[in-house]
Amino acid sequence: MNQLLLKLWRACPTGEVRVEKVADILELSRKQTTRKMKKWEEDGFLTFSPGKGRGHLSKIEWKVNVEESFEKEAMNRMEHEPMESLSAYFAYDWSPDTRHRLMDLFAARFGYSREGRDKLIIPRRHLFRSFHPLEAADAQSAHLVANLYNRLVSITEMGECLPELAHSWDKLPDRLRLYLRKDVRFHDGSTMKAEDVQRCLEKMGKHPIYRELWIPVEDITIPGPLIIDIHHPAGCSYVLQMLSMMCASIYKETAEGPVGTGCFYLGEDTLDKTVLLAFRDHFRERPLLDSVEFVKVEPDFPVHYQSQTEDPASIEVESDSGFGIVVMNAYRDSPIHHKDVRTYLHHILARHRDRIVDFHPRITPIRGGCLKGHEVNPDLPQVPRPDFKSPLIIRATGYTTDSTRWLQQVFDEEGVPYEVRWFTFDEVVTNHPRALESDLFIHGEIFEENEDLSFYHFLINGYSPLHPVLKPLEEWKERLDLYRQTPFTEWRALHEENERKLMEDSLMIPLYHVKRAIPFSTDLMNIHIRHFGYVDFSKMWVCPGAEA
């Protein structure tokens, strides 16, 4: 199966043609084209009669229906070849009908399989950026971190802290004492010690992205076997909750990379496939699935959690997929630094906000704040139209393409000059200095699980788009300091006040909430949506006798 041959079949029917046109179609030199045509003629696909002399056309006569032949071969391979090798066939220039048939056959191999072991195969559109708890800046990578590692505690949506690697704890005025579980094993077979936990927490505390979280913590000590003391002499209201975050996962560094204690371990990671394998020695219980495989597919491939039974029925499980905001870089030396410019832009964006659904149908515009359960109506003064002497720089990246188109349309209609600059996802998610050289941009955020903890983290962590905006502002230093002395159960009032201030200063403009609807086969059991709105693999299983 040769991609170029299929491309030629689709572009040139039997008849006369210029060799130059064939070379352009194949994107080859004339000499290379002649070699290819001779080889395909020898293989019996076509006859090729070169034009003799100036002005005489060459002639192609097809002997085989190439697409039909290739489709039959591709169908056979899709039934027998490894999943990770199949996505390459979708780079071929198929007709829409053929592509649809092949896509259906390919999709049928995803889902739950019992070929020797219980395996869930999931389409993966993009590479996972990192498997390290301190480097997993995007939601997909952090979702895998949740399966590979454990935290000392976990936190529910309602804010209750539950034991995980720590079986209990004492909260004292100047420190938190944690009692660790016995005989917890890392994926390499070694036993977790208090020194491993101390080392992880100290590394997180020194990390440039998370060190502001750890400012109240002055020391981490080991008063006895499997006991950890976290010292915060001036107080830290959120010290226990902080230990539930993905970045606070416990791991052990090895020559092959970090290993965790999670219910799955990393069995394989290539450009085409990532495999999680069940950890049989998990301190609680091993997963019911033996493996979860993520196979590379095209960006437009549908994600469907299914089994491989005959015509399984499916249901859609809805989960939060975060919210979208406009961030304005008030620290930048440009017109956006002036509050009246930001206020003017805030007014026109709010006026056009409902139309964003024309560009992004899965979202719901929000008029209040990003946090659930309350409305924020900022007091925005009316300001005259600024004199825009230079275009505003809009930052854009792949996942904000649709919402950026909405922003461009609004500015076009309102006569606001702008220039769009495109950045890679890595540049945007890590706050690369180059990506900060913009006046405004649309950002999508997905909270981990507990909204109150996540919102505070959103204000201060180094990966947050708000961090470089707020850090130079002395007023915001004082506002954020209040969290350390305010009981966690009373944080909501701080959040609402700070969200209102962000909106009144037009540093952040809430745009939309977005939900994800994932189809699941009805025989997939125990589906729970957890970290970052993703399904929890640890308890999922298939009921063989389940009825559609």
Side-chain angles (χ1 to χ4, degrees):
M1 286 172 57
N2 187 289
Q3 289 191 59
L4 294 180
L5 179 59
L6 179 60
K7 190 175 184 181
L8 183 64
W9 158 264
R10 298 255 295 130
C12 289
T14 291
E16 294 182 331
V17 66
R18 294 185 181 277
V19 175
E20 292 82 0
K21 180 182 177 181
V22 175
D24 287 343
I25 291 169
L26 302 180
E27 298 181 11
L28 300 173
S29 68
R30 182 164 181 156
K31 189 174 183 180
Q32 290 171 320
T33 299
T34 302
R35 283 201 204 108
K36 288 285 185 186
M37 300 300 285
K38 184 176 180 181
K39 173 69 168 60
W40 293 333
E41 188 170 33
E42 291 172 355
D43 292 341
F45 287 104
L46 53 80
T47 58
F48 179 64
S49 305
K52 303 290 186 180
R54 184 184 296 275
H56 292 277
L57 298 175
S58 300
K59 185 176 181 180
I60 293 176
E61 182 178 350
W62 292 100
K63 301 296 186 183
V64 173
N65 184 319
V66 174
E67 184 168 32
E68 189 177 280
S69 173
F70 280 16
E71 179 184 353
K72 187 180 297 185
E73 176 64 22
M75 290 244 181
N76 181 59
R77 294 185 184 186
M78 285 191 176
E79 290 180 355
H80 300 99
E81 289 187 358
M83 286 285 291
E84 62 270 23
S85 67
L86 301 181
S87 60
Y89 297 130
F90 292 99
Y92 284 46
D93 185 27
W94 305 106
S95 66
D97 287 346
T98 300
R99 176 177 290 276
H100 184 73
R101 287 191 293 271
L102 292 174
M103 190 74 80
D104 283 347
L105 185 60
F106 184 47
R109 289 195 59 185
F110 284 94
Y112 178 80
S113 169
R114 272 208 182 93
E115 296 177 2
R117 58 181 185 169
D118 291 343
K119 176 170 60 176
L120 185 65
I121 308 173
I122 300 171
R124 183 196 70 187
R125 294 175 180 147
H126 307 286
L127 289 172
F128 296 107
R129 292 186 66 257
S130 176
F131 300 101
H132 197 293
L134 297 180
E135 309 299 333
D138 63 297
Q140 288 192 52
S141 297
H143 173 229
L144 256 66
V145 165
N147 287 278
L148 295 172
Y149 307 92
N150 290 107
R151 276 84 22 218
L152 292 162
V153 300
S154 63
I155 189 170
T156 67
E157 186 177 351
M158 302 306 294
E160 181 185 5
C161 286
L162 303 174
E164 202 158 307
L165 292 175
H167 64 79
S168 54
W169 51 83
D170 293 326
K171 295 183 72 173
L172 304 171
D174 63 343
R175 69 188 184 277
L176 173 69
R177 172 163 290 184
L178 298 151
Y179 302 94
L180 306 180
R181 293 184 186 274
K182 296 181 178 180
D183 297 326
V184 174
R185 295 196 178 277
F186 287 107
H187 295 152
D188 66 351
S190 61
T191 302
M192 183 188 75
K193 301 175 182 178
E195 288 78 7
D196 297 310
V197 174
Q198 181 189 45
R199 192 160 37 246
C200 284
L201 297 183
E202 287 179 343
K203 191 167 184 179
M204 178 186 170
K206 295 174 183 176
H207 195 282
I209 298 300
Y210 306 109
R211 61 188 173 204
E212 289 191 36
L213 274 171
W214 282 85
I215 286 176
V217 176
E218 292 192 2
D219 199 10
I220 302 171
T221 60
I222 302 174
L226 297 179
I227 301 175
I228 292 286
D229 276 354
I230 301 177
H231 300 267
H232 48 80
C236 182
S237 64
Y238 58 86
V239 63
L240 182 63
Q241 288 80 7
M242 176 172 62
L243 301 178
S244 73
M245 300 169 68
M246 289 298 113
C247 52
S249 298
I250 302 304
Y251 57 93
K252 178 181 176 182
E253 297 282 9
T254 70
E256 289 75 33
V259 294
T261 63
C263 54
F264 289 95
Y265 65 93
L266 187 63
E268 179 183 346
D269 182 49
T270 66
L271 293 175
D272 299 314
K273 183 168 70 170
T274 299
V275 180
L276 305 185
L277 298 175
F279 184 40
R280 298 178 183 275
D281 293 326
H282 193 249
F283 69 93
R284 284 180 172 162
E285 58 181 298
R286 63 147 288 169
L288 295 168
L289 294 173
D290 293 306
S291 67
V292 179
E293 296 187 1
F294 299 87
V295 175
K296 180 72 172 68
V297 297
E298 296 296 305
D300 60 346
F301 190 87
V303 174
H304 189 162
Y305 291 79
Q306 61 188 34
S307 67
Q308 294 180 355
T309 57
E310 287 288 330
D311 300 320
S314 66
I315 58 172
E316 283 197 341
V317 177
E318 192 173 72
S319 69
D320 287 328
S321 192
F323 57 86
I325 57 175
V326 174
V327 177
M328 300 204 196
N329 286 344
Y331 66 88
R332 192 163 183 260
D333 186 17
S334 78
I336 206 75
H337 178 72
H338 301 289
K339 186 177 178 181
D340 60 335
V341 173
R342 300 196 305 274
T343 301
Y344 176 79
L345 296 175
H346 193 157
H347 276 294
I348 65 172
L349 293 176
R351 194 162 62 244
H352 293 273
R353 178 164 36 208
D354 288 349
R355 291 169 45 197
I356 196 170
V357 296
D358 296 338
F359 297 85
H360 202 323
R362 292 188 299 110
I363 65 177
T364 303
I366 48 178
R367 297 189 175 279
C370 302
L371 296 172
K372 299 173 188 172
H374 76 105
E375 288 284 327
V376 177
N377 297 302
D379 184 15
L380 294 178
Q382 292 295 327
V383 295
R385 176 186 171 86
D387 182 14
F388 294 102
K389 295 182 179 178
S390 59
L392 296 172
I393 306 301
I394 298 175
R395 185 179 91 185
T397 191
Y399 82 92
T400 65
T401 298
D402 293 337
S403 47
T404 299
R405 285 172 51 225
W406 164 81
L407 184 58
Q408 289 178 262
Q409 185 181 86
V410 172
F411 281 5
D412 285 338
E413 293 180 8
E414 297 288 344
V416 177
Y418 66 87
E419 174 188 336
V420 178
R421 293 183 185 172
W422 290 87
F423 298 89
T424 66
F425 181 73
D426 273 4
E427 287 175 325
V428 167
V429 79
T430 60
N431 278 337
H432 189 280
R434 195 172 78 87
L436 297 177
E437 290 301 311
S438 56
D439 292 309
L440 73 164
F441 54 90
I442 293 174
H443 170 77
E445 181 72 18
I446 305 177
F447 282 165
E448 186 167 331
E449 192 156 5
N450 178 267
E451 189 176 61
D452 286 324
L453 183 62
S454 295
F455 188 76
Y456 175 63
H457 192 226
F458 182 53
L459 294 176
I460 70 167
N461 87 83
Y463 288 136
S464 168
L466 292 177
H467 182 262
V469 177
L470 302 181
K471 190 173 182 180
L473 305 176
E474 189 63 30
E475 177 189 358
W476 275 95
K477 182 181 183 303
E478 296 173 4
R479 285 175 171 272
L480 295 174
D481 283 346
L482 289 175
Y483 282 94
R484 297 169 192 161
Q485 305 303 326
T486 303
F488 183 76
T489 53
E490 299 174 17
W491 274 17
R492 181 50 64 116
L494 292 179
H495 289 340
E496 293 180 4
E497 182 183 341
N498 288 332
E499 192 173 30
R500 183 183 303 278
K501 180 64 175 173
L502 287 169
M503 294 168 67
E504 287 179 348
D505 288 348
S506 298
L507 301 176
M508 178 186 84
I509 306 171
L511 286 183
Y512 58 81
H513 282 124
V514 60
K515 288 187 177 291
R516 180 194 295 116
I518 307 174
F520 286 86
S521 296
T522 53
D523 51 359
L524 285 172
M525 302 286 107
N526 214 20
I527 297 167
H528 292 288
I529 302 298
R530 286 205 62 198
H531 306 285
F532 303 97
Y534 285 91
V535 65
D536 181 4
F537 299 128
S538 65
K539 302 289 191 297
M540 186 184 290
W541 62 289
V542 170
C543 180
E547 295 183 0

